[in-house]
Amino acid sequence: MHTTFHVDSDGYYGPYGGAFIPEILHKNVEELGACYLNIMNSPDFQDEYQELLRDYVGRPSPLYYARRLSERVGAKVYLKREDLNHTGAHKINNSIGQVLLARRMGKTRIIAETGAGQHGVATATVCALLDMPCFVFMGETDIARQYLNVQKMEMLGATVVPVTCGNKTLKDATNEAIRDWCCNPSDTFYVIGSTIGPHPYPDMVARLQSVISEEIKKQLLSKEGRDYPDYLFACVGGGSNAAGTYYHYLENDKVKFVSAEAAGLGLESGQSAATIHLGREGVIHGCRTLIIQTPDGQIEEPYSISAGLDYPGIGPLHAYLAKTGRARVEAITDQEAVEAAFALTRLEGIVPALESSHALGALMKFRFNPEDIVVVTVSGRGDKDMPAYIEQFPTFLKR
Amino acid sequence: MNRFQKLFKTKNSPVLSVYFTAGFPKIHDTAEIIRQLSDSGIDMIEIGIPFSDPMADGPVIQHSSQIALNNGMTLPLLFEQLKDIRKITDIPLVLMGYLNPVLQYGFEAFCTKAAETGIDGLIIPDLPMREYLNEFQGIVQKSGLENILLITPETSEDRIRRIDANSHSFIYMVSTASTTGAKKDFGEDTVAYFKRVKEMNLINPVLTGFGVSNRKTFETACQYSRGAITGSVFIRCLQQTSDISKAVKLLLETLHS
């Protein structure tokens, strides 16, 4: 029996969450935990945050009725267009909030981890805007794969720190960011990009992304005369856009959640990032959650065509939503995601990010009643994924 | 009286504790490293359980952990290698490792097995005091092991007192805000923090670790606490020579000259 899907006072969602951090970070994380709500709820913070979301990010992002897509899937489908935000994804909602918070806490140096580079670019953007030094940790493998984003971050004035340990991807970049934080606990603020990490990060990031569901409520009310849909669809890697999409509906049982995680080449292929399907409980990056790991508890390198979904853990909120049955979790393969991306492009003229394509892939597989109202969050745009899409041209453009 | 209390009661000169990563440089070196360290007069040994994502460790221990995992080290194998360890040495032995592999083994099964094997204590750097007290203290106490908690320059006086009250072996004083690994020297701020802790007259003895890598840092550590813990520097010695007895000699030369 649950009473709430919100974080409890110890930082847990049911059995998941907590703050499993080295002692050197205790003071830092404790301070953040003690002040984040006060600061985020203060009128002064809200004024600055809301103004930037409106005038800089371009919010509210449209809730677009996708007519042809609706016909295809047999329900009334709306797209929440986070892809239209400045920097091309939902990530900036969070980066702005955390950097504003950091400044109010007197921190003078920003660090961030990044996989594909979207969170790195968003954080570097905000740091340019607010004139803060910014260091982005990025695995060498990802640097090679996403060089355009590296150059973008450098143009924005950030220092991209190449990470050479482990497999040189997101998980290792996160380890290295935490190590930097251990070495600079007093002046540095770690801007985590998803609903992961030690408490209060998962809750803080969910709140900063909750603007997504706040807007959906208002927009649906004016379009449909009711402020809730029957279904919400979102992709989950760490889980930040899904957390934002669900946030104001967490306690509304009329709204069903469908989370799409990345099955990669398939659940049984050994090449997957479907953490909720394949993971076991453990502790990663300061948080108890589901993790893709070996029987001995070594963290495994996940695989997905989408660089934003190949994290071996999952936000503790999503582990709990899945455990309690509040969210239904679909594992979407690379193939299904790519098919959905080409379908959306041809039906609606929108090229989605590969991450968002997983949510669309789950939508395409789902059976609806014709009167169902469905909202799918398109978390980002597909520009960064063009090389992956171009590889698929022989299959999809032959007609 | 546990082995830690016995050590600190009988030893008047500085205590030296040495960390190594189990499974490095070779998979079956564990017992031999413990034998050589113990025979050379080292007072305490920390046996590192390798982990894929050691977030509090610097490059040297990260590297040794990766090699150990590539060599095939696992917790069941480590316990197998340690099963006759009490025929080899009577000094305090500590298992040090991150929480996740321990949770997968089963926290209680791990403590029971460790105690059976003759292990005296645990250091889990990503298990902070609150989580330890809420969930794990009862299990550790039942097994007869001691959980060793860390303090750092960021730890408040009040929290140090609480850590002291919940310790029954020693307190691991992290020298600086850093990951594990070498430092040439401890700065003024670090020495001021050492003094501050010394003047608190804690119930438990304090050992200083992180950055103890040469004579200068070793002596400073021993001046303000009961002794020092060294890890990365020994791993580097093991990288330089595959002869374990030579590596131990090299370690002692590095710390004393």
Side-chain angles (χ1 to χ4, degrees), chain A residues 9-10 12 18-28 30 165-166 171-172 175-176 178-180 182-186 199 280-286 288 291 293-300, chain B residues 50-58 62 66 69 73-76 99-105 125-131 134-136 150-156 159 163 174 176-179:
Chain A
S9 55
D10 286 334
Y12 282 86
F20 294 87
I21 44 166
E23 177 63 24
I24 190 72
L25 295 177
H26 173 82
K27 183 179 162 202
N28 213 311
E30 200 74 0
C165 59
K171 159 177 98 82
D172 311 292
N175 288 330
E176 209 53 33
I178 293 174
R179 289 184 190 116
D180 179 287
C182 288
C183 296
N184 303 284
S186 48
H199 175 69
R280 296 196 319 280
E281 276 183 42
V283 169
I284 184 173
H285 299 145
R288 177 180 287 184
I291 304 169
Q293 54 183 314
T294 68
D296 297 314
Q298 309 301 337
I299 313 296
E300 290 190 285
Chain B
F51 181 46
S52 54
D53 296 77
M55 65 180 175
D57 284 301
Q62 285 174 41
Q66 197 51 57
L69 291 174
M73 182 49 76
T74 62
L75 262 177
L99 185 55
N100 197 53
V102 175
L103 289 178
Q104 301 315 311
Y105 189 91
D126 57 345
L127 179 56
M129 180 166 60
R130 180 174 54 206
E131 270 70 12
N134 283 349
E135 200 176 338
F136 300 105
L150 284 71
I151 62 171
T152 76
E154 295 280 300
T155 311
S156 68
R159 186 168 165 87
I163 285 171
V174 174
T176 44
S178 70
T179 52

Side-chain angles (χ1 to χ4, degrees), chain A residues 155-220:
Chain A
M155 186 169 172
L156 287 160
T159 305
V160 178
V161 186
V163 174
T164 57
C165 59
N167 290 304
K168 306 169 191 172
T169 60
L170 176 59
K171 159 177 98 82
D172 311 292
T174 308
N175 288 330
E176 209 53 33
I178 293 174
R179 289 184 190 116
D180 179 287
W181 198 23
C182 288
C183 296
N184 303 284
S186 48
D187 67 344
T188 296
F189 191 98
Y190 180 17
V191 176
I192 296 183
S194 194
T195 47
I196 57 163
H199 175 69
Y201 278 93
D203 182 52
M204 180 169 69
V205 175
R207 285 169 187 268
L208 291 171
Q209 292 293 358
S210 70
V211 63
I212 299 173
S213 50
E214 195 182 313
E215 290 173 3
I216 293 174
K217 281 182 88 168
K218 286 183 200 148
Q219 292 166 322
L220 266 186

Side-chain angles (χ1 to χ4, degrees), chain B residues 77-136:
Chain B
L77 176 61
L78 178 58
F79 282 129
E80 177 63 26
Q81 292 176 344
L82 293 174
K83 72 176 190 297
D84 293 324
I85 206 67
R86 281 302 170 201
K87 293 179 186 159
I88 293 178
T89 181
D90 199 41
I91 65 175
L93 296 175
V94 174
L95 280 174
M96 179 165 188
Y98 291 84
L99 185 55
N100 197 53
V102 175
L103 289 178
Q104 301 315 311
Y105 189 91
F107 197 92
E108 184 157 13
F110 172 85
C111 291
T112 308
K113 186 73 181 174
E116 252 175 48
T117 309
I119 297 295
D120 304 288
L122 304 176
I123 302 175
I124 303 178
D126 57 345
L127 179 56
M129 180 166 60
R130 180 174 54 206
E131 270 70 12
Y132 169 67
L133 295 178
N134 283 349
E135 200 176 338
F136 300 105

